[in-house]
Amino acid sequence: AFCESSIREVILPASIIKIGRRALASNTNITKVISLNPTPPEIDPRTFDSNVMESATLYVPRGSLKLYFIDPVWKEFNNISVLCLQAIPNAKYGDGEIDLSQYAPEGIALTYQSSNEDVVRINGSSMRIVGAGEATVVAILDEDGPTTELVGQLRTIVVDFFSEISRTT
């Protein structure tokens, strides 16, 4: 289907259960494969080129890392260590604190930051809406080196004068 195209990123929706043989072959530019299905889709060993499996990062949903590690084909990806964040729930002014660690990858400690403490306050992994305006909440993983990118690590939060919050990614 996408053999020999110039795509750099592949996003597989949760509804994908099987990917055909050589569907993404000869795409040496792929750097990210994001699978939103908690159950690894069935793939052939030749779905991706081996250099993609060696160099691209595979992102998987929280709670499914083990399933991808034990799958005979998906386990061939060398980089499966960074996982997707789950969506932060909607909230409004006056709600209690939200524990952001519930939405983080399994077993990975993150540092959270708000771009606007007048709208969203972060205390450790707790987030609270404190006023109207716009803020971006960022999750950062820093393991002995540069900050590692996480899929879905940004959440822009807009709180209007009616105390409702909308979320964009």
Side-chain angles (χ1 to χ4, degrees):
F2 299 100
C3 187
E4 298 182 22
S5 70
S6 60
I7 58 175
R8 301 183 62 75
E9 182 175 307
V10 177
I11 301 174
L12 304 171
S15 60
I16 297 289
I17 57 172
K18 183 176 181 176
I19 304 169
R21 183 174 156 200
R22 299 196 45 78
L24 293 152
S26 301
N27 285 308
T28 58
N29 294 325
I30 295 174
T31 59
K32 290 181 185 177
V33 177
I34 303 165
S35 179
L36 300 176
N37 191 334
T39 303
E42 181 184 335
I43 64 172
D44 184 272
R46 291 166 293 223
T47 298
F48 294 97
D49 282 351
S50 61
N51 67 325
V52 169
M53 295 176 97
E54 291 171 10
S55 62
T57 301
L58 170 63
Y59 297 90
V60 299
R62 178 183 172 149
S64 60
L65 181 61
K66 182 178 177 181
L67 294 173
Y68 281 83
F69 271 136
I70 63 173
D71 184 271
V73 180
W74 288 106
K75 73 177 183 181
E76 296 301 319
F77 274 86
N78 287 341
N79 304 307
I80 318 178
S81 60
V82 180
L83 308 176
C84 298
L85 288 176
Q86 291 182 335
I88 297 170
N90 287 330
K92 63 183 182 210
Y93 180 79
D95 283 353
E97 292 184 345
I98 296 173
D99 181 8
L100 296 174
S101 65
Q102 294 179 54
Y103 308 97
E106 297 176 283
I108 296 180
L110 298 172
T111 302
Y112 301 93
Q113 296 176 349
S114 170
S115 66
N116 186 345
E117 291 282 325
D118 292 332
V119 177
V120 175
R121 280 213 187 109
I122 306 287
N123 182 11
S125 65
S126 295
M127 177 182 92
R128 180 183 292 273
I129 308 298
V130 294
E134 182 172 325
T136 301
V137 176
V138 181
I140 300 168
L141 171 65
D142 191 3
E143 291 184 342
D144 301 326
T147 300
T148 302
E149 177 184 0
L150 295 173
V151 170
Q153 87 272 27
L154 298 176
R155 296 288 186 252
T156 300
I157 297 170
V158 179
V159 182
D160 65 24
F161 293 107
F162 302 106
S163 301
E164 293 298 319
I165 156 178
S166 63
R167 180 182 65 229
T168 60
T169 54

